[in-house]
Amino acid sequence: MVAFTIASQKGGVGKTTVALNLAHALARRGWRTLVVDTDPQGAIGLSLSKKLSSSPGLLEYASQASALSKLIVKTKLKELMLLPVGRVPPDDAMGFQSSLADGDVFQALHADLDDQVDIVMYDTPSGFGGATLGALRVSAFAVCPVQAEPIAARSVLTIFDVLGSLRDRGAVVQLAGVLLTMLQTKDRSSLAVAEDLWKRLPGNLIFETTVPRDAAFLEASAAGVPVGLLRRRPPPVAMIFDQLAAEVEARTHLEVTDSNEAPIALVD
Ligand SMILES: Nc1ncnc2c1ncn2[C@@H]1O[C@H](COP(=O)(O)OP(=O)(O)OP(=O)(O)O)[C@@H](O)[C@H]1O
Ligand SMILES: [Mg+2]
């Protein structure tokens, strides 16, 4: 099992969108993927269904109020599963986050999941508070969305500092890559930010795939679905996440254990 944490210093850069759509794309490629919502505001639940935003989840798992098997929400795609954040009291979001900071809850989660999933994808609240640090401590990889706008780009260095200091304290987390989001190639300042990051960061630290700004994401979040399920023939931007999933596999050497990797004959 491999754990990924989607993390960024700045809010609203597309973390939840990336977590959900990347998980959906990986699941469609056959990886049994569990999205874990660690945001006390219940970002994944809010993006998918009202029911999920009031469902028990990570909080109830952490407080041992419920067995994990009862908390995991199955989806119509059998490889994609969700663990909502749970019923975090609005006035105790900080307490909830602090309780996750040492990573022990996530470590226990990994042990309980055993070999039921191939990938755990943590969606985190913005900033490097307790939930994010805890998830990073137990993850093999971090994916760091950065919005292609001048202020967001400045936050990139913080990510390197945080990951470095976690590794100094025994974590193994590596940066899978910085992911440019909401890129507008026709907008000079957005493109300039992208070009600057491509110049400053070595290729192994920044994904080739970029996520464009596209109204389909707003439409998908209003409809409560990954963009690939927006309609039977999804909009072009849905393909971006298939491309990103393939890039994630290659960069992180996700191990294919089940199948023959030979070309699939179209006719016998
Ligand atoms: N590529 C995109 N193009 C257009 N809109 C987008 C894109 N990505 C995300 N959005 C929209 O921007 C808003 C913020 O996105 P999202 O919730 O994924 O960010 P976040 O980083 O998870 O935010 P937070 O820090 O609050 O958790 C949402 O309304 C989402 O639908
Ligand atoms: Mg979010």
Side-chain angles (χ1 to χ4, degrees), residues 89-121:
D91 59 355
D92 194 32
M94 295 295 272
F96 170 71
Q97 282 224 51
S98 311
S99 72
L100 300 174
D102 59 12
D104 289 357
V105 167
F106 300 125
Q107 203 104 57
L109 176 68
H110 291 191
D112 282 346
L113 285 168
D114 199 15
D115 63 354
Q116 296 171 59
V117 302
D118 302 308
I119 294 174
V120 178
M121 177 89 56

Side-chain angles (χ1 to χ4, degrees), residues 13-87:
V13 300
K15 288 181 296 301
T16 301
T17 304
V18 168
L20 186 61
N21 288 283
L22 176 59
H24 179 242
L26 287 164
R28 289 202 324 155
R29 291 170 72 86
W31 304 103
R32 295 167 303 164
T33 305
L34 174 70
V35 180
V36 178
D37 190 356
T38 72
D39 186 339
Q41 292 182 15
I44 292 286
L46 283 178
S47 337
L48 290 179
S49 92
K50 274 211 180 102
K51 201 172 123 222
L52 278 187
S53 41
S54 56
S55 300
L58 182 61
L59 176 123
E60 288 72 13
Y61 172 74
S63 60
Q64 298 182 339
S66 230
L68 182 58
S69 56
K70 295 214 172 99
L71 298 170
I72 291 181
V73 176
K74 297 196 169 118
T75 71
K76 287 184 185 156
L77 178 63
K78 96 173 166 347
E79 286 82 7
L80 182 63
M81 294 151 275
L82 311 166
L83 180 62
V85 71
R87 298 169 183 145

